[in-house]
Amino acid sequence: MNDEARQLVEKYLQLVGDEHRPVAERVVRCRDAPWYFREKLIGAPSHDARKDHARVLKYAYNFLLNGAAVAFIREQKNRQTPDLMIDGLVEQARFFVEVKKFRLVGSSSSHPASKIVSTVEGKRGQLPDNELGLVAIDNFDIELESDGEAMTHDPIEQALAELERLASENRSGWKKPNGVIIAASTSGGIGVSIPHFVWLNKQAEPPLPTELAEWIRGLF
């Protein structure tokens, strides 16, 4: 770790707490991670924005721990970009990941399953065309879980079934994403094991290599 990266980690930890040190010190070594720490974490306009951006670190860290090379994607003017590029697992099978913090509050949809589907439909546009890509939906709205029945696993399963139906009935319109990863609760964070649901899109183009698909399923 060079001096710049070390200074960025220390500034970030002053804001979030030293318990995040193992993740921060590992992830900051990724390509363009210093930019992400400086602009998205340290320079975040609010505590909530910083928490949102920190969700990306969780995925970067998990991929790193499982043998992948990770790079952060710099934003570009007038062009939507994903958060991460993952490489080094299967020959010529790099893939991109867009991480979205899930909220129901303020949504036009009052049903969690519908909101999940609309979130995937919106965020897949940030994945590059003709590349492998995943949408990761993370950190469900705490109000959903505290509502008793609102945020059980049933809405997630309903959402994944609806994504499968949409992709099967409109293959040309669902060439991306290659898959969706959904964290099943708000309680999990960096360094905490929580359940995830994984849906892989059989209609995607290019298709996800079998070896990579198995790796993703095993990871989550």
Side-chain angles (χ1 to χ4, degrees):
M1 188 190 312
N2 60 29
D3 288 342
E4 178 196 15
R6 187 174 295 106
Q7 290 172 10
L8 289 170
V9 166
E10 295 304 325
K11 288 181 180 179
Y12 174 61
L13 295 178
Q14 289 174 10
L15 297 168
V16 301
D18 202 65
E19 66 270 20
H20 296 271
R21 181 177 296 277
V23 173
E25 289 186 341
R26 180 72 179 268
V27 173
V28 77
R29 303 169 191 266
C30 296
R31 194 174 80 197
D32 279 333
W35 163 81
Y36 195 86
F37 273 74
R38 185 168 47 250
E39 299 295 328
K40 297 296 185 181
L41 299 173
I42 299 168
S46 68
H47 174 69
D48 285 344
R50 184 176 298 110
K51 285 179 63 178
D52 287 358
H53 294 314
R55 305 308 292 183
V56 179
L57 300 189
K58 184 187 85 169
Y59 288 91
Y61 185 64
N62 286 341
F63 292 135
L64 285 169
L65 288 184
N66 286 274
V70 177
F72 287 77
I73 307 298
R74 288 177 178 259
E75 293 176 340
Q76 299 180 21
K77 273 191 175 182
N78 303 318
R79 181 181 175 185
Q80 292 185 317
T81 56
D83 292 304
L84 300 170
M85 183 179 73
I86 315 302
D87 206 346
L89 294 164
V90 181
E91 186 177 357
Q92 297 179 333
R94 70 177 186 180
F95 64 96
F96 295 84
V97 179
E98 169 62 17
V99 180
K100 169 65 176 177
K101 178 171 179 176
F102 184 93
R103 289 187 180 91
L104 192 66
V105 176
S107 168
S108 59
S109 171
S110 60
H111 193 281
S114 298
K115 173 61 175 176
I116 292 169
V117 172
S118 64
T119 297
V120 173
E121 289 178 318
K123 299 307 287 185
R124 67 191 181 125
Q126 291 187 226
L127 297 171
D129 294 333
N130 303 312
E131 296 274 6
L132 302 175
L134 303 172
V135 173
I137 301 176
D138 210 81
N139 197 17
F140 283 92
D141 191 329
I142 191 66
E143 292 185 16
L144 296 178
E145 291 184 352
S146 62
D147 193 21
E149 297 181 0
M151 201 57 250
T152 65
H153 288 177
D154 288 345
I156 300 175
E157 293 173 345
Q158 292 168 15
L160 297 185
E162 177 63 7
L163 290 172
E164 181 67 28
R165 184 191 69 80
L166 291 170
S168 297
E169 293 181 0
N170 181 17
R171 181 170 183 172
S172 63
W174 278 85
K175 293 182 178 180
K176 62 182 182 179
N178 288 88
V180 176
I181 302 165
I182 303 179
S185 71
T186 63
S187 56
I190 294 174
V192 178
S193 178
I194 60 173
H196 288 74
F197 289 77
V198 177
W199 171 69
L200 298 181
N201 180 12
K202 296 187 289 290
Q203 316 304 329
E205 291 290 342
L208 204 62
T210 301
E211 184 180 348
L212 182 55
E214 292 175 353
W215 182 83
I216 290 170
R217 284 195 182 278
L219 179 60
F220 295 102

